[in-house]
Amino acid sequence: AAASAAGAGTDGLSGTLTLRPTSFTLSSDNVTMIKICGANSGRIFMGGSDGSLYEVVYGNEEESVLGFGLGLGLGAGPRKCRKLNHSASPLSALVPGFLKQLAPETKAIVDLAVDDLRQGLYTLSE
């Protein structure tokens, strides 16, 4: 399944939320995202039914294919967005699927909370 992302921001005083349409799309890779939480810094985190903590990593308006993500603003290339799994080891991609099935089942993340003051992220699992 694919989900569309929208830019959001608050004015900080009245708590008014402003949504802006974007061209970002992101595949969930058949993982149900149970909770989505954003930080004041613009970072977006998602808790998956597979027990993993994901982050939506996205580029800004100035990044393009020609600018190689350097913020050079060399054209209006496609805006990029990807999902980063903070729970998986880089070596997990090397483990065969049948061995992954032998691992104990992880519990889904049911809640996320961002502490912007302490720059922390908290998760709650089933």
Side-chain angles (χ1 to χ4, degrees), residues 3-63:
S4 293
T10 61
D11 66 10
L13 299 175
S14 67
T16 302
L17 178 66
T18 304
L19 298 176
R20 293 179 295 270
T22 71
S23 59
F24 293 135
T25 60
L26 184 67
S27 173
S28 68
D29 295 325
N30 294 321
V31 175
T32 301
M33 298 302 164
I34 296 174
K35 187 74 175 190
I36 300 174
C37 186
N40 287 343
S41 63
R43 295 175 74 181
I44 302 170
F45 299 96
M46 303 180 297
S49 61
D50 63 349
S52 292
L53 173 67
Y54 297 94
E55 181 176 1
V56 178
V57 180
Y58 55 94
N60 63 31
E61 298 268 357
E62 296 177 358
E63 292 181 350

Side-chain angles (χ1 to χ4, degrees), residues 44-104:
I44 302 170
F45 299 96
M46 303 180 297
S49 61
D50 63 349
S52 292
L53 173 67
Y54 297 94
E55 181 176 1
V56 178
V57 180
Y58 55 94
N60 63 31
E61 298 268 357
E62 296 177 358
E63 292 181 350
S64 70
V65 173
L66 296 174
F68 300 104
L70 300 175
L72 300 176
L74 298 176
R79 296 172 66 192
K80 302 231 176 182
C81 178
R82 66 184 174 94
K83 181 176 77 234
L84 177 63
N85 186 339
H86 285 287
S87 302
S89 162
L91 299 177
S92 66
L94 303 174
V95 177
F98 72 92
L99 288 178
K100 290 180 184 178
Q101 293 175 350
L102 299 175

Side-chain angles (χ1 to χ4, degrees), residues 34 47-53 87 104-110 123-126:
I34 296 174
S49 61
D50 63 349
S52 292
L53 173 67
S87 302
E105 185 177 336
T106 56
K107 302 294 183 182
I109 293 178
V110 295
T123 65
L124 177 66
S125 299
E126 287 183 333

